[in-house]
Amino acid sequence: MRSSSRLVAVAAASLIAVTTSVAAAAQRLAVDLTGNWTFEVVTENGTGMSAVAMTQKGDSLAGTYTSGRMGTLPFKGLVKGQTFTFAASTSGGATFTFSGSIVDADHIKGDLDFGGQGGATFSGTRQK
């Protein structure tokens, strides 16, 4: 009798762990990046703040990136699982590519490539 009680307890604990894990995975997958974000961009020359407006439709991402240094640039990109990428081009032809990961519903982070002319890291926080 003791071993069957133990078996039921182990089975129940396993079921709870699996259910919690599946729920957490579903929550991560359900993140939609649509909204207004504040990006903190860290370069070797210092840190700057930017405003990013994103619209996600399925796996497509579009919006605008606004900074004091570059002005407002439209961008397009993709979301794949917990990662995303988008690129914005300046009027001078330089393309800036953001590649990142979704930390949670209100936080993202990643790397920024300045069109082969250096790079930076960024972190983004959704504005409430």
Side-chain angles (χ1 to χ4, degrees), residues 47-66:
T47 301
M49 303 302 280
S50 303
V52 181
M54 290 194 239
T55 301
Q56 181 180 341
K57 291 182 180 172
D59 63 354
S60 295
L61 194 60
T64 56
Y65 177 86
T66 305

Side-chain angles (χ1 to χ4, degrees), residues 55-127:
T55 301
Q56 181 180 341
K57 291 182 180 172
D59 63 354
S60 295
L61 194 60
T64 56
Y65 177 86
T66 305
S67 74
R69 185 168 223 182
M70 294 189 287
T72 299
L73 303 174
F75 66 79
K76 291 190 180 205
L78 294 171
V79 178
K80 193 170 234 176
Q82 293 300 108
T83 63
F84 64 91
T85 184
F86 65 85
S89 297
T90 67
S91 59
T95 299
F96 298 96
T97 304
F98 294 78
S99 301
S101 60
I102 300 168
V103 176
D104 60 36
D106 296 322
H107 300 93
I108 55 180
K109 66 180 180 177
D111 297 304
L112 168 57
D113 174 33
F114 294 119
Q117 303 298 315
T121 60
F122 71 89
S123 59
T125 302
R126 188 188 306 264
Q127 296 175 8

